[in-house]
Amino acid sequence: MKLLKKILTVVLLACVVTVGGLVWLGTRDDTSTGPAATADAGTLVERGRYLALAGNCMACHTSRGGKALAGGTPIPTPFGTVYGPNITPDEKTGIGTWTADDFWQALHNGKSKDGTLLYPAFPYTEYTRVTRADADALYAYLRSVPPVSQPSRPPDMAFPYDQRALLAAWRALYFKPGVQEADAGQSVQWNRGRYLVEGLGHCAACHTPRNSLGATRSSDAFTGGIIPVLDWYAPPLTNDRQTGMGRWTAADIAALLKTGISVHSSASGPMAEVVLGSTQHLTDDDALAIGVYIKSLSATPPSTPRSTAAAAPAAMELGSKIYRQHCAQCHQPQGQGSGNAWPALAGNPTVTAPSPVNAIRMVLDGGYAPATVANPRPHGMPPFGQILNDSDIAMLVSYIRNSWGNEAGGVTALEVKRARASSTLN
């Protein structure tokens, strides 16, 4: 009995030490700040306005039809829904009583003004890399926008994820605050691109797969994955030739970010919204810097398993007929596309992705590239979901995924049925 008590005591102490360690690690602050902003007020506000566009703040903090930055946008996650808060300078419902230090704490340490741990739907896991000077510029800009009296809506999270105290353990495992240091062995342009991609642009939020607890898998950085809840596939940013950026140049990537189109593909789904609200506003230098950094990533294969199902010869033949009837006029007989009007399908990463969901959804729903300053009247693709059944679309997508040098595997009618269930035209 005494031995049992000793064992239980040791186990209890070990549990206390473990929990205490997790709480300490999960609530610790990185106190290093780096130099604060030193520009005059007007320059600081304009700098912050640009950074807010580069970070796409409007996407989460402005609801559809709502007032700018007043919050309310639902952000669905597998664990519940988080709503973008009001970040206008309203003193009662916004951040009007916040100081620059409070704002820095939110970006850098993932904590609200009162020390509340923030849900990582707010990408402080990436924003922690932002410099104090840029945080101060963002703060100055947000202080300059019209205040809006609109209470922030609390998160609607399922149990036990509604228990914020548990975030301490999550943060201990998956969050380490710290400003991104420049790599002295790389160029200024490369470092700028890395800063935008890994920090303010928070590209990993979509293009890096997540584990069962919602944390990005750092070992599979930028290897692509299904965006939770939205059911779109974010393609790899690595340089795999079949599924990633291997056939692209840095200039091609910059063109897509600035215009929504390139010789290889066009932005669609969530990426079209990113281009519309954010990346089209980048300077040419910043867009190219992002391209330079992305082109330096390795040719790591995608983390999502590629389909190994071969397209049946009969399906390829029927898919070819459907393609000639409905698609070839725009995308051309050999899938080469037509300039910037209709993207090529040969070598298109949307087509050759490990997951066929994006290609299926484009056939089902159609759509437009984003209307940008450089391409204000983009050509559109009509929806075919109402005139082609699941088997037809499966054969068509199988055909384009396995023609003209594409090697992406077959598609089943069941996969189309699942995509149709989340279709905007369903």
Side-chain angles (χ1 to χ4, degrees):
M1 184 62 73
K2 290 183 178 180
L3 179 60
L4 179 59
K5 286 183 178 180
K6 288 182 179 180
I7 292 174
L8 290 175
T9 301
V10 170
V11 170
L12 179 60
L13 287 173
C15 289
V16 169
V17 170
T18 299
V19 171
L22 287 175
V23 170
W24 179 80
L25 286 171
T27 58
R28 74 198 189 284
D29 289 343
D30 177 36
T31 56
S32 61
T33 63
T38 56
D40 64 85
T43 300
L44 204 60
V45 167
E46 285 306 307
R47 176 65 178 166
R49 188 191 312 276
Y50 175 75
L51 294 171
L53 287 168
N56 203 18
C57 300
M58 293 282 283
C60 291
H61 295 282
T62 303
S63 61
R64 183 166 296 181
K67 294 185 178 180
L69 301 172
T73 303
I75 305 167
T77 78
F79 316 103
T81 302
V82 177
Y83 298 89
N86 183 344
I87 56 173
T88 71
D90 183 72
E91 292 192 355
K92 291 185 177 179
T93 64
I95 60 171
T97 62
W98 286 39
T99 65
D101 286 342
D102 296 331
F103 187 73
W104 167 255
Q105 174 172 258
L107 261 66
H108 191 67
N109 288 309
K111 294 182 180 181
S112 189
K113 177 185 177 182
D114 62 2
T116 300
L117 301 181
L118 299 175
Y119 284 108
F122 173 61
Y124 59 82
T125 45
E126 284 75 42
Y127 286 170
T128 188
R129 297 178 175 89
V130 172
T131 64
R132 178 61 194 254
D134 279 353
D136 286 351
L138 276 166
Y139 173 76
Y141 165 65
L142 293 176
R143 298 285 294 180
S144 76
V145 304
V148 178
S149 178
Q150 178 172 297
S152 296
R153 184 171 174 178
D156 183 15
M157 305 295 281
F159 182 82
Y161 309 109
D162 58 347
Q163 305 300 304
R164 282 187 186 260
L166 296 178
L167 281 172
W170 187 94
R171 290 160 57 100
L173 294 171
Y174 304 118
F175 175 55
K176 183 179 180 181
V179 170
Q180 184 166 279
E181 300 293 335
D183 185 338
Q186 297 287 348
S187 67
V188 171
Q189 185 182 46
W190 183 94
N191 275 294
R192 176 63 177 172
R194 180 189 178 205
Y195 176 73
L196 291 168
V197 168
E198 297 190 6
L200 201 60
H202 58 285
C203 302
C206 290
H207 292 277
T208 296
R210 296 178 181 269
N211 64 21
S212 59
L213 292 178
T216 53
R217 303 200 315 247
S218 57
S219 59
D220 294 319
F222 303 118
T223 58
I226 294 291
I227 303 173
V229 181
L230 298 183
D231 199 30
W232 281 89
Y233 179 78
L237 300 183
T238 58
N239 278 279
D240 182 85
R241 283 187 61 81
Q242 272 293 323
T243 62
M245 301 288 104
R247 305 184 189 191
W248 296 53
T249 66
D252 293 335
I253 296 170
L256 183 76
L257 296 174
K258 291 282 291 182
T259 69
I261 55 177
S262 80
V263 295
H264 301 286
S265 187
S266 62
S268 59
M271 189 61 198
E273 297 178 14
V274 171
V275 172
L276 179 65
S278 177
T279 62
Q280 69 161 315
H281 303 290
L282 293 170
T283 64
D284 291 345
D285 286 345
D286 276 354
L288 187 58
I290 289 174
V292 167
Y293 174 65
I294 288 175
K295 285 302 297 179
S296 75
L297 300 177
S298 67
T300 306
S303 55
T304 303
R306 300 190 192 196
S307 172
T308 56
M316 290 290 289
E317 182 178 352
L318 290 171
S320 174
K321 292 179 180 179
I322 297 171
Y323 180 84
R324 291 196 300 271
Q325 181 179 359
H326 295 290
C327 313
Q329 182 176 358
C330 295
H331 294 286
Q332 304 302 303
Q334 298 303 311
Q336 71 268 35
S338 181
N340 288 332
W342 293 282
L345 301 180
N348 186 320
T350 296
V351 174
T352 59
S355 169
V357 65
N358 292 6
I360 293 172
R361 292 190 67 168
M362 287 300 295
V363 174
L364 284 169
D365 299 343
Y368 287 83
T372 58
V373 172
N375 185 36
R377 300 177 65 184
H379 289 78
M381 175 174 168
F384 291 95
Q386 295 179 337
I387 62 174
L388 297 177
N389 62 35
D390 293 349
S391 294
D392 290 337
I393 293 175
M395 290 185 288
L396 171 60
V397 177
S398 291
Y399 174 73
I400 65 174
R401 280 167 60 84
N402 292 278
S403 297
W404 322 302
N406 295 343
E407 298 176 358
V411 176
T412 67
L414 179 59
E415 289 175 301
V416 178
K417 181 179 180 179
R418 289 171 178 164
R420 193 187 288 273
S422 58
S423 167
T424 59
L425 299 182
N426 183 40

